[in-house]
């Protein structure tokens, strides 16, 4: 199965940039009700993911929720780059499934490591369901 067919394209994906402030990231996360958001550098290269936990750890570290203080730190300073690894646009369906068992979504990148989009668990389950339905129909024939 071609993962590009089930991927949510970058243009339809909420992303943050590593130069955004913690305040901007929190506002984006709250507004969209997400628990994790992909993070890109200035060239659109996927650098990791920022999570609710990253924000909470930062707030505890600075001991403040003051908006002015939250504007002093960039997303790139609080995120864990090794969290939520990406797959190549040419990755197998099995590779995407394996990662999706460990994370809410799977970022998909091209050969330059630029974000192409994400594959959510919902997309994966829908694709598996459709495939199982097709196989059942073939068995009936």
């Amino acid at each position: 199965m071609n993962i590009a067919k089930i991927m949510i394209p970058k243009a339809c994906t909420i992303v943050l940039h590593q130069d955004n402030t913690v305040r901007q990231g929190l506002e984006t996360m709250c507004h969209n009700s997400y628990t994790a958001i992909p993070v890109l550098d200035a060239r659109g290269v996927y650098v990791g993911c920022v999570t609710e936990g990253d924000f909470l750890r930062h707030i505890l570290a600075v001991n403040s929720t003051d908006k002015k203080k939250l504007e002093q730190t960039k997303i790139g300073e609080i995120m864990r780059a090794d969290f939520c690894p990406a797959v190549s646009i040419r990755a197998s369906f099995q590779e995407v499934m394996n990662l999706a068992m460990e994370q809410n979504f799977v970022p998909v990148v091209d050969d330059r490591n630029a974000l192409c989009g994400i594959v959510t668990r919902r997309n994966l389950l829908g694709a598996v369901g459709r495939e199982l339905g097709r196989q059942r129909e073939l068995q009936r024939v």
Side-chain angles (χ1 to χ4, degrees):
M1 180 179 298
N2 185 346
I3 63 171
K5 290 182 179 181
I6 61 171
M7 175 183 75
I8 298 169
K10 176 183 172 183
C12 301
T13 303
I14 301 295
V15 299
L16 290 169
H17 291 86
Q18 62 186 3
D19 290 335
N20 289 137
T21 66
V22 169
R23 179 180 175 178
Q24 290 170 314
L26 277 170
E27 289 173 352
T28 300
M29 190 168 273
C30 290
H31 177 73
N32 293 286
S33 300
Y34 291 150
T35 58
I37 298 177
V39 179
L40 310 178
D41 71 8
R43 297 172 311 184
V45 171
Y46 177 73
V47 294
C49 188
V50 67
T51 68
E52 288 175 319
D54 296 327
F55 289 111
L56 289 172
R57 280 186 289 282
H58 175 70
I59 289 168
L60 288 171
V62 298
N63 198 27
S64 176
T65 57
D66 178 64
K67 291 181 180 183
K68 293 283 186 204
K69 257 203 182 305
L70 297 177
E71 290 173 353
Q72 296 172 0
T73 306
K74 305 291 185 194
I75 295 292
E77 298 172 50
I78 70 163
M79 59 169 276
R80 294 169 292 157
D82 61 341
F83 182 79
C84 203
V87 296
S88 164
I89 190 74
R90 291 184 297 279
S92 70
F93 189 76
Q94 188 62 50
E95 287 176 83
V96 177
M97 286 289 291
N98 290 343
L99 275 179
M101 289 175 24
E102 304 298 326
Q103 55 200 53
N104 293 340
F105 63 87
V106 179
V108 180
V109 296
D110 64 14
D111 293 335
R112 299 168 298 139
N113 211 34
L115 185 71
C116 298
I118 62 171
V119 177
T120 63
R121 286 182 182 161
R122 178 181 295 215
N123 296 67
L124 281 170
L125 288 171
V128 169
R130 287 188 297 278
E131 183 60 28
L132 289 174
R134 275 194 283 275
Q135 288 177 6
R136 270 193 231 117
E137 287 299 316
L138 289 173
Q139 288 175 353
R140 290 182 192 171
V141 174

